[in-house]
Coordinates of all heavy atoms in Angstrom, one line a residue:
F25 N 21.0 238.7 159.4 CA 20.6 237.3 159.2 C 19.7 236.8 160.3 O 20.2 236.7 161.4 CB 21.9 236.5 159.0 CG 21.6 235.1 158.6 CD1 21.3 234.8 157.3 CD2 21.7 234.0 159.5 CE1 21.0 233.5 156.8 CE2 21.4 232.7 159.0 CZ 21.1 232.5 157.7
E26 N 18.5 236.5 159.9 CA 17.5 235.9 160.8 C 17.3 236.7 162.1 O 17.0 236.1 163.2 CB 17.9 234.4 161.1 CG 17.9 233.6 159.8 CD 18.2 232.1 160.0 OE1 18.5 231.7 161.2 OE2 18.2 231.4 159.0
D27 N 17.5 238.0 162.0 CA 17.3 238.9 163.2 C 16.7 240.2 162.6 O 17.4 240.9 161.9 CB 18.6 239.2 163.8 CG 18.6 240.2 165.0 OD1 17.5 240.8 165.1 OD2 19.6 240.3 165.7
N28 N 15.4 240.5 163.0 CA 14.8 241.6 162.4 C 14.8 242.9 163.3 O 14.1 243.8 163.0 CB 13.4 241.3 161.9 CG 12.4 241.2 163.1 OD1 12.8 241.1 164.3 ND2 11.1 241.1 162.8
S29 N 15.7 242.9 164.3 CA 15.7 244.0 165.2 C 16.0 245.4 164.4 O 15.3 246.4 164.7 CB 16.8 243.9 166.2 OG 16.6 242.7 166.9
L30 N 16.9 245.3 163.5 CA 17.2 246.6 162.7 C 16.1 246.9 161.8 O 15.9 248.1 161.4 CB 18.5 246.4 161.9 CG 19.8 246.8 162.6 CD1 21.0 246.5 161.7 CD2 19.8 248.2 163.1
V31 N 15.3 246.0 161.3 CA 14.2 246.3 160.4 C 13.2 247.1 161.2 O 12.8 248.2 160.7 CB 13.5 245.0 159.9 CG1 12.3 245.3 159.0 CG2 14.5 244.2 159.0
R32 N 12.8 246.6 162.4 CA 11.9 247.4 163.2 C 12.4 248.7 163.6 O 11.7 249.8 163.4 CB 11.5 246.6 164.5 CG 10.6 247.4 165.4 CD 10.3 246.6 166.7 NE 9.3 245.6 166.4 CZ 8.0 245.7 166.3 NH1 7.5 246.9 166.3 NH2 7.2 244.7 166.1
E33 N 13.7 248.8 164.0 CA 14.3 250.0 164.4 C 14.3 251.1 163.3 O 13.9 252.2 163.5 CB 15.7 249.8 164.9 CG 16.5 251.0 165.4 CD 17.9 250.6 165.7 OE1 18.1 249.6 166.5 OE2 18.8 251.4 165.3
T34 N 14.7 250.6 162.1 CA 14.7 251.5 161.0 C 13.4 252.0 160.6 O 13.2 253.2 160.3 CB 15.4 250.8 159.8 OG1 16.7 250.4 160.2 CG2 15.6 251.8 158.6
L35 N 12.4 251.2 160.6 CA 11.0 251.6 160.1 C 10.3 252.4 161.2 O 9.2 252.9 160.9 CB 10.2 250.4 159.7 CG 10.7 249.7 158.5 CD1 10.0 248.4 158.2 CD2 10.7 250.6 157.2
T36 N 10.9 252.6 162.3 CA 10.3 253.6 163.3 C 10.6 255.0 162.9 O 10.0 255.9 163.4 CB 10.8 253.3 164.8 OG1 12.2 253.5 164.8 CG2 10.4 251.9 165.2
E37 N 11.6 255.2 162.1 CA 12.0 256.5 161.6 C 11.0 257.0 160.5 O 10.4 256.2 159.9 CB 13.4 256.5 161.0 CG 14.5 256.0 161.9 CD 15.8 255.8 161.1 OE1 15.9 256.2 160.0 OE2 16.7 255.2 161.7
T38 N 11.0 258.3 160.3 CA 10.2 258.9 159.3 C 10.8 258.4 157.9 O 12.0 258.6 157.7 CB 10.1 260.4 159.3 OG1 9.6 260.7 160.6 CG2 9.3 261.0 158.3
G39 N 10.0 257.8 157.1 CA 10.5 257.3 155.8 C 10.6 258.3 154.7 O 11.4 258.1 153.8
N40 N 9.7 259.3 154.7 CA 9.7 260.3 153.6 C 9.7 259.6 152.2 O 10.3 260.0 151.3 CB 10.9 261.2 153.7 CG 10.8 262.1 155.0 OD1 9.7 262.6 155.3 ND2 11.9 262.3 155.6
G41 N 8.9 258.5 152.1 CA 8.8 257.8 150.8 C 10.0 257.0 150.4 O 10.1 256.6 149.2
R42 N 10.9 256.7 151.3 CA 12.0 255.9 151.0 C 11.7 254.4 150.9 O 10.6 254.0 151.3 CB 13.2 256.1 152.1 CG 13.8 257.5 152.0 CD 14.8 257.6 153.1 NE 14.2 257.6 154.4 CZ 14.9 257.6 155.5 NH1 16.3 257.5 155.5 NH2 14.3 257.5 156.7
V43 N 12.6 253.6 150.4 CA 12.4 252.1 150.3 C 13.5 251.4 151.1 O 14.7 251.7 151.0 CB 12.5 251.7 148.9 CG1 12.4 250.2 148.8 CG2 11.4 252.3 148.0
L44 N 13.1 250.6 152.0 CA 14.1 249.8 152.8 C 14.4 248.5 152.0 O 13.6 247.7 151.7 CB 13.5 249.4 154.2 CG 14.4 248.7 155.1 CD1 15.7 249.5 155.4 CD2 13.7 248.3 156.4
V45 N 15.7 248.3 151.8 CA 16.2 247.1 151.1 C 17.0 246.3 152.2 O 18.0 246.8 152.7 CB 17.2 247.5 150.0 CG1 17.8 246.3 149.4 CG2 16.4 248.3 148.9
V46 N 16.5 245.1 152.4 CA 17.0 244.2 153.5 C 17.7 243.0 152.9 O 17.0 242.2 152.2 CB 15.9 243.8 154.4 CG1 16.4 242.9 155.5 CG2 15.1 245.0 155.0
D47 N 19.0 242.9 153.0 CA 19.7 241.7 152.7 C 19.7 240.8 153.8 O 20.4 240.9 154.8 CB 21.2 242.0 152.3 CG 22.0 240.8 151.9 OD1 21.4 239.7 152.0 OD2 23.1 241.0 151.5
G48 N 18.7 239.9 153.8 CA 18.5 238.9 154.9 C 19.2 237.6 154.6 O 18.9 236.5 155.1
G49 N 20.2 237.6 153.6 CA 21.0 236.4 153.3 C 20.2 235.4 152.6 O 20.7 234.2 152.4
G50 N 19.0 235.7 152.1 CA 18.2 234.7 151.4 C 17.6 233.6 152.3 O 17.1 232.6 151.8
S51 N 17.7 233.8 153.6 CA 17.2 232.8 154.5 C 15.7 232.6 154.4 O 14.9 233.5 154.3 CB 17.4 233.2 156.0 OG 16.9 232.3 156.9
T52 N 15.3 231.3 154.3 CA 13.9 230.9 154.3 C 13.6 230.1 155.6 O 12.7 229.3 155.6 CB 13.6 230.0 153.0 OG1 14.5 228.9 153.0 CG2 13.7 230.9 151.8
R53 N 14.3 230.4 156.7 CA 14.0 229.7 157.9 C 13.2 230.5 158.9 O 12.9 230.0 160.0 CB 15.4 229.3 158.6 CG 16.1 228.4 157.7 CD 17.4 227.8 158.3 NE 18.2 228.8 158.9 CZ 19.5 228.5 159.3 NH1 20.0 227.3 159.1 NH2 20.2 229.5 159.8
C54 N 12.9 231.8 158.6 CA 12.1 232.6 159.5 C 11.7 233.9 158.7 O 12.3 234.2 157.7 CB 12.8 233.0 160.8 SG 14.2 234.1 160.6
A55 N 10.8 234.6 159.3 CA 10.3 235.9 158.6 C 11.0 237.1 159.2 O 11.2 237.1 160.4 CB 8.8 236.0 158.8
L56 N 11.3 238.0 158.4 CA 12.0 239.3 158.8 C 11.0 240.4 159.0 O 11.4 241.5 159.4 CB 13.1 239.6 157.8 CG 14.3 238.6 157.8 CD1 15.3 239.0 156.7 CD2 14.9 238.5 159.2
M57 N 9.8 240.2 158.5 CA 8.8 241.3 158.6 C 7.4 240.6 158.7 O 7.1 239.6 158.0 CB 8.8 242.2 157.4 CG 7.9 243.3 157.4 SD 8.2 244.4 156.0 CE 6.6 245.1 155.8
G58 N 6.5 241.2 159.5 CA 5.1 240.8 159.6 C 4.2 242.0 159.7 O 4.6 243.1 159.3
D59 N 3.0 241.7 160.2 CA 2.0 242.8 160.2 C 2.3 244.0 161.0 O 2.1 245.1 160.6 CB 0.6 242.2 160.6 CG 0.6 241.6 161.9 OD1 1.7 241.4 162.6 OD2 -0.5 241.3 162.4
Q60 N 2.9 243.8 162.2 CA 3.2 244.9 163.1 C 4.3 245.8 162.5 O 4.2 247.0 162.5 CB 3.7 244.4 164.5 CG 2.5 243.7 165.2 CD 3.0 243.1 166.5 OE1 4.2 243.2 166.9 NE2 2.1 242.5 167.3
I61 N 5.3 245.2 161.9 CA 6.4 246.0 161.3 C 5.8 246.7 160.0 O 6.2 247.8 159.7 CB 7.6 245.2 161.0 CG1 8.2 244.8 162.4 CG2 8.6 245.9 160.2 CD1 9.5 243.9 162.3

């Protein structure tokens, strides 16, 4: 919730074509991903 640390950490791993599904609680108060991630 409103913390993208795990998003960045997870996407540093080799994806092998996987899909990351992020339950961000539906928050519209900040972004969980941007250009760098």
